[in-house]
Amino acid sequence: MSQRQSLCILGSTGSVGSNTLDVVARHPDRYEVFALTGAQRVDELAAQCLQWRPRFAAMVQPDAALALAQRLKAEGCPTEVLSGAQALNDLAAHPEVTTVMASIVGAAGLAPCIAAARAGKRLLLANKEALVVGGALFMRAVEEGGATLLPIDSEHSAIFQCLPEDRQTWRARIDHIVLTASGGPFRQRDPATLADITPEQACAHPNWVMGRKISVDSATMMNKALEVIEARWLFGLTPEQIKVVIHPQSIIHSMVVCKDNSVLAQLGTPDMRVPIAYGLSFPERIESGASALDFLSLKALTFEAPERSRFPGFFLAWDALRGPEGSTTVLNAANEEAVAAFLDRQIRFDAIHRVNADVLAAVLPQAQESQSIDGLLSLDQRARQAAKSLMATLSKP
């Protein structure tokens, strides 16, 4: 990638977006920031615009966009502020953009990801829900648009880095992949006490600095369930070819098991700047800002099997993958609503799995109807409504 890349960062105020800007700042000769987007965090996006002076900024919420525009005008910043969900699609597909970092959290990232794919962009995918919700539809857009799709989740980036450079024949060489999981903050907690967990405890991840939603997903291991679904589409695998082990140290980020039983692994410190830098520079490698791995300081690398009694929701991934095409859309929507309710202290931590399982079973017959983006988003809304109706019947924590 000798040409200077023009970046659109979708979800720039989140942890992945902020880390992307940190990597970009180390290589001003290689990257320029064309557009930054956010949902409603005006202060953070304003600070980024004042530092980077992008051509465009966009906020989904109109009130937030107006506040941002007024703030930037008062500061003499020339960035043009756009508003609404369509603005994200337009910026992701903008002809002057070469690279899109897709780091919006949740199903809201599906439409701009598809817009970038159809426009043939270099698409750095940190929004796992685009594949969990979109699946086949999203991959068709990548193929038809001629986009370059590069995974940014540390686990999927690790798998990608372990695959042979000859991408046409690698499936004939491997038996399965192994995604690693930290196990989150409750890896050793008595399952009988899960009802007492608070949002503050669930968001205190032992290894990674992440947003609140994904931190809760890590605590329930639903993040790993979503990553299993994502891996199925990224790498064209069957559900049976995707394994997961808990690796508390988060040093081995994932592994590829070859047909001769050789195991290829990618190791590194738990720092999102590593997969971000790899995605930005592929097939080259650039300095990321992450600290080097000190092997002499490692006391042990250990592995455990996920326990159903502690992480029941994790196993729903394979159920959803074996169901109709829209099943994973339903699971993701239910989980987003359940996690939001838990963070708002409306339901208990252990109710998240119940909501996910019950909504998946209830809405599953409707999943066959989702063969377009409108159909998927309609199914997403029906699943969300089913989740809200169910949660209204649950006792308060």
Side-chain angles (χ1 to χ4, degrees):
M1 294 291 293
S2 57
Q3 182 182 358
R4 197 163 185 246
Q5 295 183 51
S6 177
L7 301 179
C8 170
I9 304 178
L10 303 170
S12 66
T13 60
S15 60
V16 172
S18 298
N19 277 315
T20 300
L21 289 172
D22 182 89
V23 174
V24 168
R26 300 169 190 276
H27 305 278
D29 58 320
R30 299 178 67 110
Y31 310 103
E32 62 177 345
V33 179
F34 181 83
L36 300 173
T37 82
Q40 55 188 3
R41 294 163 65 179
V42 174
D43 292 343
E44 290 91 336
L45 191 53
Q48 291 177 344
C49 289
L50 291 173
Q51 177 181 356
W52 292 95
R53 305 275 170 152
R55 178 90 64 84
F56 294 101
M59 303 205 78
V60 176
Q61 300 298 326
D63 291 346
L66 179 60
L68 177 65
Q70 293 172 339
R71 180 88 58 86
L72 296 183
K73 182 177 180 180
E75 296 284 350
C77 179
T79 298
E80 181 179 348
V81 178
L82 307 178
S83 173
Q86 183 58 42
L88 274 58
N89 301 346
D90 294 340
L91 291 175
H94 197 286
E96 293 187 46
V97 169
T98 60
T99 303
V100 175
M101 170 58 79
S103 56
I104 296 174
V105 175
L110 175 61
C113 282
I114 288 181
R118 286 174 174 164
K121 304 302 182 184
R122 182 184 181 94
L123 180 54
L124 312 184
L125 189 66
N127 171 263
K128 61 174 61 68
E129 291 85 358
L131 278 169
V132 173
V133 175
L137 182 69
F138 178 76
M139 293 307 294
R140 283 196 297 270
V142 170
E143 182 177 359
E144 292 168 2
T148 300
L149 180 63
L150 298 167
I152 299 302
D153 271 353
S154 61
E155 296 81 3
H156 302 95
S157 176
I159 297 297
F160 187 80
Q161 293 179 57
C162 289
L163 295 178
E165 289 189 11
D166 179 5
R167 307 285 174 183
Q168 302 302 314
T169 62
W170 68 266
R171 285 189 185 87
R173 307 182 193 181
I174 74 163
D175 184 76
H176 63 276
I177 66 172
V178 181
L179 304 179
T180 57
S182 69
F186 310 129
R187 178 176 61 87
Q188 296 179 314
R189 182 159 176 150
D190 182 352
T193 69
L194 295 180
D196 302 325
I197 290 170
T198 67
E200 291 74 22
Q201 291 171 327
C203 290
H205 196 281
N207 297 343
W208 298 91
V209 177
M210 305 180 292
R212 282 163 61 80
K213 194 268 182 182
I214 194 172
S215 294
V216 175
D217 282 347
S218 179
T220 63
M221 276 193 67
M222 269 302 299
N223 72 318
K224 207 56 52 178
L226 299 179
E227 287 171 13
V228 166
I229 297 167
E230 184 181 7
R232 178 264 178 271
W233 292 109
L234 276 173
F235 305 115
L237 302 171
T238 66
E240 291 72 27
Q241 287 181 290
I242 307 169
K243 316 292 184 183
V244 175
V245 297
I246 292 178
H247 170 50
Q249 295 81 21
S250 295
I251 297 299
I252 298 177
H253 297 301
S254 278
M255 297 168 274
V256 170
V257 181
C258 302
K259 290 196 172 178
D260 62 0
N261 283 330
S262 297
V263 180
L264 308 177
Q266 189 264 335
L267 287 71
T269 53
D271 191 322
M272 280 303 300
R273 290 176 295 179
V274 173
I276 289 170
Y278 183 73
L280 284 169
S281 63
F282 177 80
E284 303 172 38
R285 288 184 183 266
I286 58 175
E287 194 268 326
S288 67
S291 58
L293 184 61
D294 180 5
F295 285 96
L296 298 181
S297 69
L298 299 178
K299 294 183 175 61
L301 299 180
T302 61
F303 305 92
E304 307 164 10
E307 295 181 32
R308 190 177 291 271
S309 62
R310 188 174 285 108
F311 304 113
F314 161 70
F315 298 90
L316 292 174
W318 287 269
D319 296 338
L321 281 174
R322 295 185 182 107
E325 184 175 317
S327 303
T328 57
T329 305
V330 174
L331 179 60
N332 178 73
N335 185 63
E336 286 189 18
E337 294 298 328
V339 171
F342 167 70
L343 288 171
D344 287 342
R345 305 179 194 277
Q346 296 174 4
I347 63 171
R348 300 184 329 196
F349 180 82
D350 61 342
I352 296 174
H353 164 65
R354 177 182 169 186
V355 171
N356 292 342
D358 289 358
V359 171
L360 183 61
V363 186
L364 203 58
Q366 306 171 35
Q368 293 279 23
E369 304 170 16
S370 54
Q371 302 299 320
S372 66
I373 187 169
D374 288 340
L376 287 169
L377 294 177
S378 175
L379 181 63
D380 174 271
Q381 289 302 310
R382 277 176 279 167
R384 290 177 189 276
Q385 187 55 52
K388 291 176 182 177
S389 297
L390 174 60
M391 288 188 292
T393 68
L394 300 178
S395 59
K396 299 293 183 182

